[in-house]
Amino acid sequence: MTRTPARPLLRSAHALLDQAASSASNVLALLLLARALDADTFGRFSLGYAVLVLVLSLTRAALATRITLTPDHAGAREVTATVLGALVLLALPTALLVTGAGLLLTGGQDPGLQLLIGLATPVVCAQDVLRYGAVAAGRPGTALLSDLTWLGLVALALVLGTGSRTTLLVWAAGAVAALVVALAGLRTRPEPARGRELLVRLARREDPLAASLAANSVIASLGLLAVLTAAAHLIDPAAAGSLRAAATAMGPVNVAFAYVSLSLAPTLVRRPRTQDRRFCAAAALVLTTGTALWGACLLLLPDDLGRTAFGATWAGTAGVLPFTVAEYVLTAVGTAAVLGLKVREQARDLLRQRVVTTALSVLAGAVLAWTTRDVRAVAAAVAVAAGVQTGLGWHSLLTRPAPLPATTPTLRNADA
């Protein structure tokens, strides 16, 4: 019996709720760890977690993006199976790489935490790909159920009042459970043979958009990691924890940003390219308004509530928040432009913008960390870089002509 796809509005609502649940499980785990760890230990944990985020971002850019740009549901499931096959082949190297990088960045301290982060990374990446696949295949309810499973287990850790390592174990176990639920709901399985072919094509740069987005993601994540490392070593580990905690406080905004790629990209790619600018302008207005409102709530948060939520990290986080809010408001405007450039497959423009702005944030952040020894100056440098990227993105979207219909991606058999 053929499954009838959910109505567009219902699918969109499911996708938004799914992204909210996915973000909530991560934010809740980070908040629990921030409360359970001292400021310096949380700062070292943040470095290892930044490596996980780097790998996850690379997976989304190089692999999951093609799922969202697949123009029909059956093709999305096929591409998802191929991507899962590639991730199976990369699972062991990924775990070793993340663990090793975390130990290197922290000087070998807290090896248990770094090992747990490394082992969890392949599972987190696979579950994330399945979320994208479920939404693109017209089954956002599967993605939502998967992430609610994960969120429920992390919430259990909150109720039980577990310690830091137990919290991280529960978070990792939740990722495994969520992966199983998503596999069962989407009714797909990894295809390692096709996954190997996909990795070979990526290595040969036969897919310019995927190669550009992968490079974009690596540069952005390495830039963030460099900024955190500079803050940790030139100021103190607590400075890195403050930057991570401030970003964690913007969790609902990150939900909206991820929703743009998860749900709005498949919607826009199936429309005429002449609608790109109007669609992106509307998305920018909604994103910016929501970001500004949430940022205002954080800036007005009483110190007592801040200390309850973030524990010992709140003292540094409160000073960083104004600059982080400014960064996210600027990023909200730019995220909408990036959506349009992705759909138009303007790979070169996206990569150029990322190189320029990441170099700016890393160089300015490191210099200011060294000269001022003030984490607020580092956060200000990152905010300025976000503004530069937003300007470059909208300049490209407004000045580049819309591609002809023939250039619109047709990825029905992208894994063939």
Side-chain angles (χ1 to χ4, degrees), residues 19-44:
Q19 186 55 48
S22 175
S23 177
S25 61
N26 293 315
V27 169
L28 184 56
L30 288 173
L31 288 177
L32 289 173
L33 289 168
R35 290 167 55 183
L37 299 172
D38 61 76
D40 284 350
T41 303
F42 183 73
R44 288 189 291 270

Side-chain angles (χ1 to χ4, degrees), residues 57-110:
S57 299
L58 176 60
T59 301
R60 286 177 176 174
L63 302 173
T65 295
R66 276 306 183 190
I67 299 173
T68 65
L69 297 181
T70 305
D72 63 86
H73 294 161
R77 290 188 66 205
E78 292 176 7
V79 178
T80 301
T82 299
V83 171
L84 287 175
L87 292 179
V88 167
L89 298 176
L90 295 173
L92 180 59
T94 296
L96 294 175
L97 174 66
V98 173
T99 301
L103 291 172
L104 179 64
L105 290 171
T106 59
Q109 299 187 61
D110 304 304

Side-chain angles (χ1 to χ4, degrees), residues 400-411:
R400 299 284 187 184
L404 297 174
T407 65
T408 301
T410 55
L411 303 170

